[in-house]
Amino acid sequence: MRKLLKVTARPDYQLEVVFDDGLSGVIALKDRLFGPMFEPLRDPAFFERVEIDAFGALLWPNGADLDPDALYKNLTADRTRGSVERVL
């Protein structure tokens, strides 16, 4: 399992991430913030409060989280296609 080492919230609901093996990229979430758990993230100030938990997953104060393995898989798949930005 890969761990996230760094996350930076960017404008337009994007996250710049860096993994423990050096893989990095941008995850675009603008069109994925729906449902009761992710609805609060539509507030840009709340979205920016993203952190990395002890297990290397992305986490927000309301308990919303993103699996680092899924993010890693999407970013590596995009690398093989020549893209560094991924929409989940």
Side-chain angles (χ1 to χ4, degrees):
M1 180 171 111
R2 293 290 177 194
K3 290 179 121 180
L4 283 160
L5 297 180
K6 182 178 178 184
V7 62
T8 305
R10 294 177 36 168
D12 206 26
Y13 305 102
Q14 296 182 3
L15 298 173
E16 185 173 353
V17 296
V18 178
F19 283 88
D20 58 353
D21 68 347
L23 178 71
S24 63
V26 175
I27 306 296
L29 298 173
K30 184 176 183 174
D31 296 329
R32 306 294 297 169
L33 301 177
F34 51 85
M37 197 58 145
F38 291 99
E39 187 70 29
L41 279 61
R42 290 179 170 267
D43 173 1
F46 193 85
F47 184 82
E48 290 177 2
R49 295 177 61 192
V50 64
E51 298 179 350
I52 299 172
D53 71 12
F55 304 102
L58 296 181
L59 178 71
W60 282 268
N62 69 333
D65 63 350
L66 295 175
D67 176 28
D69 288 333
L71 298 175
Y72 189 90
K73 182 178 176 182
N74 284 313
L75 285 175
T76 55
D78 282 347
R79 294 281 170 145
T80 62
R81 291 191 300 262
S83 173
V84 294
E85 184 170 319
R86 175 69 179 164
V87 178
L88 292 179

